[in-house]
Amino acid sequence: MTTVSGQKSGGLKLVLFGPPGAGKGTQAQLLRDRLGIEHVASGDLFRHHLSNGTELGEMARDYMNRGALVPDEVTIGMVIDRIGQIGGGEGFMLDGFPRNTNQAQALESALGERGQGIDRVIHIQVADDELIRRLSNRYICRACQRPFTRDAATGAPPERCEDCPDGGDIYQRDDDTPEAVANRLTVYHQETAPVLDFYRERGLLADVAGEGSVEAVNASVLQSLEIAGE
Ligand code: AMP
């Protein structure tokens, strides 16, 4: 399967871009299954450090709980190191990174040193009131990080993760509280949204409407990559 730049879709280097709650994680799981490329989510990397009690995790905790950005000196190195573990010919999709123009520049330089670049930035657009509704209903599997919502009929979250063999524990993130959500949306509009111009100028940006069903959004995402849906 070839796509966007005419290269094999298994080697695609993508950025999934959008506000918290836009569905980046959900779409990433579908793309990973479809294209077999690695999902690198900066928030997941931080949560992994937090649950392992590392120094980096302890340093990030307060920023995360407030919904603020963890400083670039910590974040950029962590993500670039992770990308460095992926073979040059292999694809990946970044989720939650870059979140400001400084990070976008650092990513461009780091990939440039390897003779690589981002092939497409998929911008999933969702209005703020819908994001607030989604985040207050969001639950995550502690093991695989898959997002879930409350059951429409009962209003209850699932008890265990259906994807994990031993049924991973489901929990609500500390930063999905109303105060932290409000702050995360402010940070998104002030610090992260300007990254869109960075990629628009480079002709890499694809806008995707993110308020339809998961399947409809996925079809638009695949279309933006010039990949036919099922
Ligand atoms: P996320 O899971 O992407 O919503 O990220 C959770 C939290 O991790 C964010 O609210 C930030 O505190 C921190 N974080 C994740 N990615 C970044 C990033 N690229 N730059 C700075 N902080 C980040």
Side-chain angles (χ1 to χ4, degrees):
M1 192 165 24
T2 54
T3 173
V4 221
S5 48
Q7 71 177 103
K8 286 238 181 293
S9 54
L12 281 177
K13 295 173 178 58
L14 308 175
V15 173
L16 285 176
F17 196 91
K24 301 186 295 295
T26 302
Q27 293 301 324
Q29 309 233 351
L30 294 173
L31 277 184
R32 194 185 51 193
D33 293 347
R34 174 79 193 231
L35 306 177
I37 61 179
E38 293 223 34
H39 175 205
V40 178
S42 45
D44 290 351
L45 295 176
F46 280 128
R47 281 183 287 280
H48 189 71
H49 276 281
L50 261 182
S51 59
N52 286 324
T54 70
E55 204 177 316
L56 192 155
E58 285 312 312
M59 192 261 141
R61 180 193 303 276
D62 179 51
Y63 294 97
M64 293 177 75
N65 285 344
R66 281 187 288 122
L69 295 189
V70 178
D72 286 351
E73 302 81 75
V74 177
T75 307
I76 290 171
M78 177 185 75
V79 176
I80 300 291
D81 280 357
R82 176 69 189 86
I83 293 173
Q85 293 163 5
I86 299 171
E90 286 173 40
F92 57 79
M93 61 199 136
L94 296 173
D95 161 0
F97 185 95
R99 247 173 163 102
N100 61 30
T101 42
N102 189 41
Q103 293 181 6
Q105 257 145 8
L107 175 66
E108 189 173 70
S109 311
L111 291 179
E113 281 170 21
R114 297 168 64 179
Q116 298 172 350
I118 293 295
D119 297 302
R120 187 72 100 216
V121 177
I122 301 165
H123 171 211
I124 306 179
Q125 295 175 299
V126 177
D128 280 8
D129 53 354
E130 171 66 6
L131 295 171
I132 292 168
R133 193 189 65 74
R134 288 185 187 182
L135 291 169
S136 59
N137 285 303
R138 178 165 79 171
Y139 291 80
I140 311 278
C141 168
R142 211 179 282 281
C144 74
Q145 311 285 328
R146 177 179 159 184
F148 291 91
T149 55
R150 292 176 207 267
D151 183 271
T154 66
E159 284 182 13
R160 316 295 301 179
C161 176
E162 58 203 51
D163 277 0
C164 287
D166 51 354
D169 185 26
I170 302 286
Y171 78 112
Q172 191 160 33
R173 282 169 45 171
D174 288 343
D175 59 351
D176 281 344
T177 60
E179 301 74 30
V181 165
N183 199 31
R184 286 161 69 204
L185 291 179
T186 303
V187 167
Y188 176 78
H189 291 298
Q190 290 179 349
E191 300 185 47
T192 305
V195 176
L196 291 170
D197 284 336
F198 180 94
Y199 287 121
R200 194 174 287 115
E201 282 163 15
R202 286 156 174 77
L204 295 176
L205 196 64
D207 291 318
V208 166
E211 295 198 20
S213 65
V214 168
E215 295 76 21
V217 176
N218 187 238
S220 306
V221 167
L222 292 176
Q223 207 173 24
S224 78
L225 298 173
E226 297 161 24
I227 295 170
E230 304 280 83

